[in-house]
Amino acid sequence: MKKGWIALCAALLLMLCAGSALADGQATITRQLAQTYDYGDVFFTYYFAEVQNTGDAPIVLNGGTLELYNAEGGTIYSAQVYNCYPSVLGPGEIGYVREYTNMDTPDAVASYRFDLSASPASEGSVSYLTCTPSFEQRTLYENETSTTITATLTNPQSETARGIMVVYALYDASGNLLFVDTLSATYLGLPSGSTVELNTVVDGEIETAWNAQGIKPASAQALAYVILD
């Protein structure tokens, strides 16, 4: 009887632990890219990531450590990254990471690693605006293009939205992440029910690399939100 009681208690403890694990949020990197681009005499490596909360509880993205490695496996760059947009994700919600640094040569980066950390969201929340993304890629010259990403925002709240942050992302036809950019529209107050278009333009140096590699954007995503206290 005593052994049966111990077994029952152990089973109940496992069930409680499993329930606790299911209640936790989890930050999962679903897509990412590190690429070096030529800015004349300077080379910049950009890191872009799409992150999803794959748990069932809100989380705060605390950032993470980005490391870039050369062909021999040596670390050529290591830094803490805090550029997570938005920093709070509800269950199933998606956010983005954007970081960049300069390099000595265009072929310095052979591989990379980003360790992202998150914690339960005990405070802070995000109020999203209705956001419709679109993009247009125009040919400027024979082998030069210009890509503009537009976010059409509507404020669904009863009060004027202020401190708006917009995050833009581009993907290719296979769903690979190509580009992430942000716009902090601190100058803008968007009245209730009002609509505005805010856009960003992809750097010409990134466009040049796309054209050389035969890369074409096929879809866009955008988020517009306000961080609440």
Side-chain angles (χ1 to χ4, degrees):
M1 181 66 181
K2 186 176 180 180
K3 291 182 178 179
W5 175 249
I6 293 174
L8 177 60
C9 289
L12 288 173
L13 180 60
L14 286 173
M15 290 175 64
L16 287 172
C17 291
S20 175
L22 288 173
D24 291 340
Q26 182 174 343
T28 302
I29 299 174
T30 48
R31 295 176 177 88
Q32 58 183 332
L33 169 72
Q35 180 73 48
T36 302
Y37 303 99
D38 184 350
Y39 284 72
D41 295 333
V42 181
F43 308 100
F44 282 94
T45 295
Y46 283 82
Y47 174 77
F48 306 127
E50 176 193 274
V51 180
Q52 184 174 22
N53 180 353
T54 53
D56 60 358
I59 57 174
V60 175
L61 301 180
N62 300 320
T65 302
L66 174 64
E67 292 189 341
L68 306 178
Y69 309 104
N70 58 22
E72 291 72 38
T75 302
I76 55 178
Y77 177 79
S78 180
Q80 284 295 117
V81 176
Y82 301 100
N83 301 321
C84 305
Y85 309 97
S87 56
V88 179
L89 295 179
E93 291 181 348
I94 288 175
Y96 293 91
V97 176
R98 183 180 190 271
E99 178 71 0
Y100 66 92
T101 185
N102 63 306
M103 289 284 128
D104 293 330
T105 62
D107 58 351
V109 179
S111 59
Y112 62 93
R113 178 186 178 93
F114 182 57
D115 292 319
L116 178 66
S117 66
S119 58
S122 59
E123 59 183 19
S125 60
V126 176
S127 175
Y128 286 95
L129 281 67
T130 303
C131 183
T132 302
S134 61
F135 81 97
E136 179 186 21
Q137 188 173 57
R138 297 183 294 111
T139 301
L140 301 179
Y141 304 103
E142 183 176 343
N143 60 347
E144 293 187 20
T145 56
S146 176
T147 303
T148 300
I149 316 171
T150 301
T152 303
L153 318 181
T154 301
N155 180 9
Q157 307 300 327
S158 59
E159 299 179 353
T160 298
R162 302 184 188 278
I164 298 171
M165 174 64 74
V166 185
V167 189
Y168 307 86
L170 283 174
Y171 300 81
D172 66 13
S174 299
N176 298 308
L177 184 62
L178 299 178
F179 179 75
V180 173
D181 202 5
T182 63
L183 174 65
S184 180
T186 56
Y187 55 85
L188 177 67
L190 189 61
S192 174
S194 297
T195 298
V196 67
E197 290 186 354
L198 298 176
N199 57 46
T200 190
V201 178
V202 177
D203 294 8
E205 291 77 6
I206 295 179
E207 294 268 0
T208 298
W210 286 353
N211 292 332
Q213 299 171 34
I215 295 173
K216 290 186 175 295
S219 64
Q221 291 294 334
L223 302 173
Y225 61 90
V226 175
I227 295 290
L228 304 177
D229 294 332

